[in-house]
């Protein structure tokens, strides 16, 4: 549900075809605030509902501002993420292998995908988070647990708010809209939470292997929506309708929303 990149470096990511400003027509540029490619939606804008629908239809990706999440909550989680990924390897592995939840290193998912990445994938269940926090930090699990539970709670509320606004923009009936948001609000939902860490690249890697490192390869997300937060270092890229790829400027004050396969 949430991705928090740590120390992401541009050179880790596959080189993709750039988009020039001239490739974007004038009407779209007016829709995009400062960046001509990435739609930016102010959730307090009276026209936010229609702008969200427009962004979903045209791009399946957008950035939200005025989201109501405090920087303190975001910083607390980022501090705990750094603390986790700085642990000795054996202690990180105490979170268990990712089957599906747990700590993963380079191997991503069940399809044999490999990336220059380590990650912690968690269920959003509060009971599960309490259990995993105790496994990782047996002497003092509460700080880690509190940071994650608090962050997930805020993310779920924002995700529900965005989905409600999209549903209103699509004139979806109230009962149907509630069924959609229940998929996130329910404590037993299959929402998940992910922390990603992209380690520094060995200087000799490309010389020895003759290829660039890819942190997290090309993919779509199967769920309804994904809510991502980056730190201040770039690396995230998205594919447009024409198959070209564009880099997404990092912004640690905002959140990026991706339309998942299920919602599409």
């Amino acid at each position: 549900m949430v991705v928090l990149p740590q120390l992401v470096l541009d050179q880790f990511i596959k080189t993709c075809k750039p988009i020039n400003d001239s490739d974007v027509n004038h009407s779209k540029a007016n829709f995009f605030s400062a960046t001509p490619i990435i739609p930016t939606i102010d959730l307090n804008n009276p026209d936010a509902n229609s702008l969200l629908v427009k962004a979903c239809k045209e791009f399946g990706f957008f950035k939200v501002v005025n989201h109501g999440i405090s920087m303190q909550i975001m910083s607390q989680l980022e501090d705990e993420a750094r603390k986790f990924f700085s642990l000795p390897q054996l202690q990180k592995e105490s979170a268990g292998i990712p089957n599906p939840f747990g700590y993963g290193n380079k191997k991503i998912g069940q399809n044999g995908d490999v990336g220059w990445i380590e990650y912690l994938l968690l269920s959003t269940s509060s009971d599960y988070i309490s259990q995993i926090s105790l496994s990782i930090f047996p002497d003092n699990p509460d700080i880690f647990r509190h940071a994650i539970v608090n962050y997930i709670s805020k993310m779920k509320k924002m995700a529900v708010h965005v989905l409600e606004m999209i549903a209103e923009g699509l004139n979806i009936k109230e009962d149907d809209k509630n069924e959609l948001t229940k998929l996130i609000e329910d404590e037993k939902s299959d929402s998940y939470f992910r922390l990603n860490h992209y380690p520094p690249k060995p200087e000799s890697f490309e010389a020895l292997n003759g290829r660039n490192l890819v942190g997290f390869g090309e993919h779509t997300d199967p769920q309804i929506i994904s809510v991502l937060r980056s730190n201040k270092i770039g690396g995230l890229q998205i594919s447009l309708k024409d198959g070209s790829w564009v880099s997404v400027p990092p912004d640690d004050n905002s959140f990026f929303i991706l339309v998942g396969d299920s919602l599409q």
Side-chain angles (χ1 to χ4, degrees):
M1 180 175 177
V2 180
V3 178
L4 175 65
Q6 304 283 330
L7 302 177
V8 187
L9 301 181
D10 283 331
Q11 63 263 41
F12 290 177
I13 309 300
K14 189 183 301 180
T15 301
C16 299
K17 175 184 174 184
I19 295 296
N20 298 321
D21 289 350
S22 60
D23 293 333
V24 182
N25 68 43
H26 208 49
S27 62
K28 286 185 179 179
N30 291 334
F31 174 52
F32 291 132
S33 72
T35 303
I37 295 298
I38 308 304
T40 298
I41 313 295
D42 182 343
L43 294 183
N44 291 334
N45 186 332
D47 298 323
N49 292 358
S50 60
L51 291 175
L52 286 168
V53 171
K54 181 179 177 69
C56 288
K57 287 181 176 179
E58 295 190 5
F59 293 89
F61 180 90
F62 52 91
K63 179 168 75 172
V64 295
V65 297
N66 281 328
H67 43 69
I69 312 297
S70 73
M71 179 57 74
Q72 180 182 6
I73 289 174
M74 294 187 278
S75 297
Q76 285 175 344
L77 177 67
E78 192 164 348
D79 289 344
E80 291 306 306
R82 287 196 182 98
K83 184 189 301 182
F84 171 79
F85 289 116
S86 298
L87 291 172
Q89 188 67 23
L90 286 178
Q91 192 170 349
K92 287 186 285 190
E93 291 174 356
S94 67
I97 60 173
N99 188 30
F101 303 118
Y103 169 76
N105 187 358
K106 297 183 181 177
K107 293 183 179 179
I108 304 170
Q110 305 299 315
N111 298 320
D113 295 330
V114 177
W116 194 255
I117 183 176
E118 60 177 342
Y119 60 90
L120 184 63
L121 184 62
L122 305 176
S123 162
T124 59
S125 162
S126 55
D127 289 341
Y128 174 84
I129 293 170
S130 295
Q131 176 185 344
I132 205 73
S133 299
L134 185 61
S135 298
I136 299 168
F137 298 103
D139 296 330
N140 186 11
D142 291 341
I143 297 176
F144 186 75
R145 178 191 58 79
H146 175 75
I148 292 179
V149 168
N150 196 23
Y151 189 86
I152 288 175
S153 174
K154 298 297 183 184
M155 290 303 100
K156 282 191 172 185
K157 288 180 180 178
M158 183 174 64
V160 166
H161 182 46
V162 169
L163 278 176
E164 288 176 341
M165 295 175 76
I166 292 172
E168 289 170 5
L170 292 170
N171 297 315
I172 293 177
K173 295 179 181 179
E174 191 69 24
D175 289 345
D176 294 331
K177 181 176 70 174
N178 291 338
E179 290 301 316
L180 184 65
T181 56
K182 281 179 184 177
L183 297 174
I184 294 177
E185 290 178 309
D186 194 323
E187 172 70 14
K188 296 181 180 179
S189 77
D190 61 356
S191 300
Y192 64 84
F193 173 80
R194 184 180 189 119
L195 293 166
N196 285 345
H197 173 228
Y198 301 89
K201 179 184 64 173
E203 293 297 328
S204 60
F205 184 90
E206 289 182 14
L208 293 174
N209 294 273
R211 62 185 178 88
N212 292 328
L213 292 180
V214 177
F216 202 128
E218 177 182 334
H219 67 282
T220 62
D221 290 345
Q223 56 270 12
I224 302 173
I225 62 172
S226 297
V227 182
L228 294 86
R229 176 179 177 263
S230 68
N231 55 16
K232 296 180 179 180
I233 301 175
L236 177 63
Q237 294 176 328
I238 61 167
S239 176
L240 303 182
K241 284 184 177 180
D242 64 1
S244 58
W245 289 82
V246 294
S247 294
V248 179
D251 182 351
D252 63 341
N253 290 302
S254 304
F255 290 93
F256 299 104
I257 311 289
L258 290 87
V259 173
D261 298 338
S262 299
L263 181 59
Q264 181 174 333

